[in-house]
Amino acid sequence: MGDKFSSLEWLPDAVEREELPGKHRLKDLRLLPYLKRSFSFVLDALFPHCCPVCSELVQGEGGLCLSCWQKLDLISPPYCERLGMPLHYELGPNAWSAAALVNPPDYERARAAALYTGPAQELVKRFKFYGEIRLSKFLAGCMLNSGAELVSAESFLVPVPLHSSRLRERTYNQSALLTREIQKHLGGQSLLDGLVRTRKTNQQVGLKRGARTANVKGAFEVSEHFLAKVSGAHVVLVDDVLTTGATVEECTRVLKAAGAKQVDVLVFALVDPENLSDYNA
């Protein structure tokens, strides 16, 4: 259904007219909520919503079925203050993981809603590669809790950019869609063009850590629009998945070189630390 009908925003205009076709008039707008609910019921009956992971019928658009929701590996404390990865036990406030102590990132903090396992992998794949942009609201909704500690009114929310050629192929930047939804709920200032990808890079999928770092080296720059604002700024980079961190590390270096005071990272999913060895060779 088109946005006009799925949002039901057209209904108030239709019923506020004093004259309607035939003998019927509808002046008492107290009936409006009942009409909306009835119309939504009819739409749901004609076009039922399915779980994006397993295709089970669900109530409401964009949500998971109970089984897939229970399999979603959401991240909760305790977690590493720097990398956002879960810790096996409580180490006290602001604790760092061993990985962060050995190789601290250029960015200040990373936060993720879930581990990149099971349903999270399928959600990202459908959102990123299969054009299911309706999932942006669900994924961003999952990110709000972890993002709340990162975003303030003064923060700039900047998506990891796509190269213009890839943007033409895909027709949308999944990170920009997440940024827009997050800004609606957490505030801050969204700058969808804050960073520019200056050259087309290979897909990071399947590359090891060293190859990922080399692949994105020198691939980003701060846009002219953002240059005048970045000095002393707090920037929250938004992306769908954090794997080795090569992409957001390169974005962070570019932002700091331009004068950003602090850079944090907010993603939907974080690769399970237990599986990072697959990318470290």
Side-chain angles (χ1 to χ4, degrees):
M1 299 294 290
D3 290 341
K4 182 177 180 182
F5 291 94
S6 61
S7 67
L8 302 183
E9 291 175 354
W10 61 277
L11 197 51
D13 293 333
V15 299
E16 283 174 359
R17 300 194 202 104
E18 291 189 7
E19 297 292 338
L20 291 176
K23 299 179 181 179
H24 301 287
R25 294 184 179 183
L26 184 59
K27 296 181 180 180
D28 188 355
L29 294 183
R30 289 177 297 181
L31 292 175
L32 186 55
Y34 301 101
L35 286 173
K36 284 187 175 182
R37 283 197 292 270
S38 298
F39 193 78
S40 295
F41 179 80
V42 173
L43 286 179
D44 288 343
L46 292 174
F47 305 98
H49 302 296
C50 296
C51 173
V53 175
C54 69
S55 299
E56 184 77 18
L57 291 179
V58 296
Q59 290 185 341
E61 184 178 7
L64 299 182
C65 68
L66 179 59
S67 176
C68 289
W69 176 256
Q70 291 174 333
K71 294 174 184 175
L72 192 63
D73 202 351
L74 297 173
I75 297 174
S76 59
Y79 48 72
C80 172
E81 171 68 13
R82 292 298 298 275
L83 301 179
M85 62 174 56
L87 298 175
H88 292 299
Y89 46 86
E90 182 63 61
L91 296 176
N94 304 319
W96 288 27
S97 62
L101 290 169
V102 171
N103 188 24
D106 288 325
Y107 54 82
E108 189 68 19
R109 298 170 295 176
R111 294 293 182 268
L115 289 178
Y116 190 57
T117 59
Q121 288 181 308
E122 185 66 20
L123 286 167
V124 170
K125 181 176 72 172
R126 290 181 177 276
F127 177 50
K128 190 171 184 175
F129 300 114
Y130 291 86
E132 296 194 26
I133 59 176
R134 64 189 179 89
L135 290 174
S136 62
K137 292 185 178 181
F138 175 78
L139 300 184
C142 292
M143 297 163 67
L144 296 181
N145 187 51
S146 51
E149 65 176 296
L150 302 183
V151 180
S152 67
E154 293 75 32
S155 303
F156 289 100
L157 279 69
V158 177
V160 172
L162 294 177
H163 187 263
S164 57
S165 61
R166 185 152 292 145
L167 183 59
R168 285 193 297 270
E169 293 171 4
R170 193 175 295 172
T171 72
Y172 64 95
N173 178 0
Q174 73 281 355
S175 301
L177 295 179
L178 293 174
T179 300
R180 185 181 291 115
E181 290 297 328
I182 290 166
Q183 190 275 331
K184 288 179 184 177
H185 296 278
L186 296 183
Q189 306 171 63
S190 61
L191 275 178
L192 303 185
D193 60 347
L195 284 172
V196 178
R197 194 179 289 244
T198 56
R199 63 177 176 83
K200 186 175 182 179
T201 56
N202 295 323
Q203 290 277 6
Q204 295 279 66
V205 176
L207 298 181
K208 301 296 185 181
R209 180 185 291 273
R212 285 170 177 258
T213 301
N215 188 40
V216 295
K217 185 69 175 177
F220 304 98
E221 66 180 28
V222 177
S223 67
E224 291 185 13
H225 174 64
F226 193 27
L227 272 175
K229 304 177 181 180
V230 70
S231 181
H234 172 226
V235 179
V236 179
L237 284 170
V238 180
D239 207 359
D240 51 358
V241 179
L242 182 60
T243 308
T244 64
T247 299
V248 292
E249 289 260 28
E250 183 65 18
C251 290
T252 298
R253 284 190 281 269
V254 169
L255 287 163
K256 286 192 171 181
K261 182 179 180 180
Q262 179 177 327
V263 179
D264 292 319
V265 177
L266 178 60
V267 298
F268 167 67
L270 175 71
V271 168
D272 189 336
E274 300 296 329
N275 298 329
L276 275 179
S277 59
D278 297 339
Y279 302 90
N280 288 337

